[in-house]
Amino acid sequence: MNRPLQSASPAATAPAAITAAGAAPLADTAAIRSIGARWSRLRPLEVLFWVVAFAAAFVLPRGFLLLNELTILALFAVSLDLILGYAGIVSLGHAAFFGLGAYSAALLAKHFGIDPVLGLLAAAGLSALLGLVSSVLVMRGTDLTRLMVTLGVALIMYEVANKLDWLTGGADGLTGVTMVPLFGTFEFDLFGRTAYLYSLTVLAILFFVARFVIKSPFGMSLQVVRQNPLRAAAMGVNVNRRRAAIYTMAGAYAGVAGALLAQTTGFASLDVLDFHRSADVLLMLVIGGAGYLYGGIIGAIVFKLMQDWLSGITPQYWQFWIGMLLVIIVVVGHDRLVRPWTWFKRSGGSTSS
């Protein structure tokens, strides 16, 4: 059964496809590329999704600030999906890259007044460097060790930003950030239309770059690493090198998401490095589904809309209802939850009377 926007999860079928392509290391490259090409084809529903997303900037009269935040959260979720869904690395400190990107872009805009795109590139480079350096630690030990190392890196970044108050503003945040017009032409308006189009364009470009990487032989080998690292190593795959590469890429993506937030809001604070950022993006992937790039986008949309809607109804208890949704997802299962027509089928496949 097809999932929304994309065919059955490549993360689940890639190892079998690689095995079918041949037993040599990484199998037959031509056959793998052929499989990736089939998975990479755009479906009509995908085209509709992106057309509607861009058309919203010209059709909707308002709500661009919320749409901009949704777009940034979607990119942040996609960045985590690269390491969690495709490399099997669970992170509790993904906010470290998000926060570094936010502060980098904000400081460059405040002190140098550079073009936002250059700020994005600088934020991506610094966050990628942090990902590359910290990957040396993340690759060591077991899954639990990696989990705690990612959390430790985020806590260190938070404390560094807090102590360097002369640079970051500390607990008060970095104020006085003024963004120059994009490409010297497009000014960031108060309604957020330019910010939304800017963030959505960046999301679309990076999403399809990630899609290309995931459908390549490198991406398929990552999925083998996620499911069985020992077997991947026996096939000749350098497990740690591939994990480090995707971890660096994910760090760059998260840094760009943080930079977009700082650039479109004109503000950066310790909140971008807080633990709740890492926890929230994990919740988005649980809701949308990991190992499926659109899952990050869907999860971000559902999470943010539920947060705004529930906080308007029950400001004190909105977290209870999101927690209830997570419990339902765990009990029922994500695949069954999004396919309600299977709820009343017995294990043999017949519908109960």
Side-chain angles (χ1 to χ4, degrees):
M1 182 64 65
N2 288 346
R3 284 187 174 185
L5 300 178
Q6 193 171 344
S7 60
S9 174
T13 58
I18 293 178
T19 303
L26 288 185
D28 183 359
T29 303
I32 296 175
R33 290 188 183 278
S34 176
I35 295 169
R38 291 201 305 270
W39 284 343
S40 300
R41 293 171 187 163
L42 281 175
R43 274 74 177 177
L45 198 56
E46 290 184 79
V47 177
L48 178 63
F49 171 81
W50 291 106
V51 168
V52 169
F54 278 98
F58 305 98
V59 175
L60 296 180
R62 57 189 179 186
F64 300 115
L65 295 177
L66 176 60
L67 290 175
N68 178 63
E69 187 175 358
L70 285 174
T71 303
I72 294 171
L73 290 177
L75 179 58
F76 191 28
V78 167
S79 72
L80 180 61
D81 197 21
L82 288 174
I83 59 173
L84 176 59
Y86 292 94
I89 302 174
V90 182
S91 174
L92 279 179
H94 212 53
F97 309 112
F98 187 84
L100 178 60
Y103 274 112
S104 300
L107 287 170
L108 288 172
K110 180 178 181 178
H111 296 294
F112 300 99
I114 65 174
D115 190 274
V117 175
L118 295 179
L120 278 188
L121 295 176
L126 289 173
S127 298
L129 180 61
L130 176 62
L132 180 61
V133 172
S134 60
S135 68
V136 177
L137 300 175
V138 173
M139 294 308 109
R140 290 177 171 270
T142 62
D143 290 339
L144 179 60
T145 304
R146 297 190 191 101
L147 189 71
M148 300 314 297
V149 167
T150 58
L151 177 60
V153 171
L155 293 176
I156 291 172
M157 294 296 295
Y158 182 94
E159 197 57 34
V160 168
N162 186 34
K163 293 300 182 182
L164 298 180
D165 52 355
W166 58 270
L167 179 66
T168 64
D172 296 327
L174 185 63
T175 57
V177 178
T178 303
M179 298 306 303
V180 300
L182 186 63
F183 299 121
T185 304
F186 306 101
E187 294 187 3
F188 290 92
D189 55 287
L190 294 176
F191 301 102
R193 187 192 300 269
T194 301
Y196 170 59
L197 280 172
Y198 172 47
S199 299
L200 183 61
T201 302
V202 173
L203 170 63
I205 293 173
L206 294 185
F207 178 88
F208 286 103
V209 169
R211 181 188 175 102
F212 174 80
V213 171
I214 293 304
K215 309 304 181 186
S216 69
F218 168 79
M220 294 183 185
S221 67
L222 270 178
Q223 296 166 37
V224 178
V225 169
R226 177 181 65 85
Q227 293 201 0
N228 196 327
L230 293 177
R231 182 182 180 187
M235 294 170 62
V237 176
N238 191 319
V239 173
N240 284 341
R241 184 174 297 177
R242 277 166 171 74
R243 282 176 169 170
I246 199 64
Y247 195 80
T248 302
M249 180 178 175
Y253 271 46
V256 170
L260 286 174
L261 181 66
Q263 290 177 343
T264 55
T265 60
F267 183 72
S269 69
L270 293 177
D271 178 74
V272 295
L273 287 164
D274 205 341
F275 173 74
H276 80 84
R277 290 281 181 184
S278 300
D280 286 351
V281 74
L282 271 174
L283 295 181
M284 294 173 202
L285 277 188
V286 172
I287 294 172
Y292 167 62
L293 289 178
Y294 279 107
I297 297 178
I298 295 171
I301 294 173
V302 173
F303 177 83
K304 186 59 184 177
L305 292 181
M306 282 190 63
Q307 184 184 51
D308 282 12
W309 177 58
L310 293 173
S311 61
I313 299 175
T314 57
Q316 296 179 334
Y317 304 108
W318 65 269
Q319 291 176 324
F320 168 82
W321 296 108
I322 291 183
M324 182 66 71
L325 174 62
L326 294 177
V327 171
I328 293 174
I329 291 175
V330 171
V331 173
V332 177
H334 185 273
D335 289 339
R336 291 192 65 199
L337 188 64
V338 298
R339 295 187 295 176
W341 54 88
T342 65
W343 292 357
F344 304 102
K345 288 184 178 180
R346 297 176 180 175
S347 57
S350 59
T351 304
S352 60
S353 56

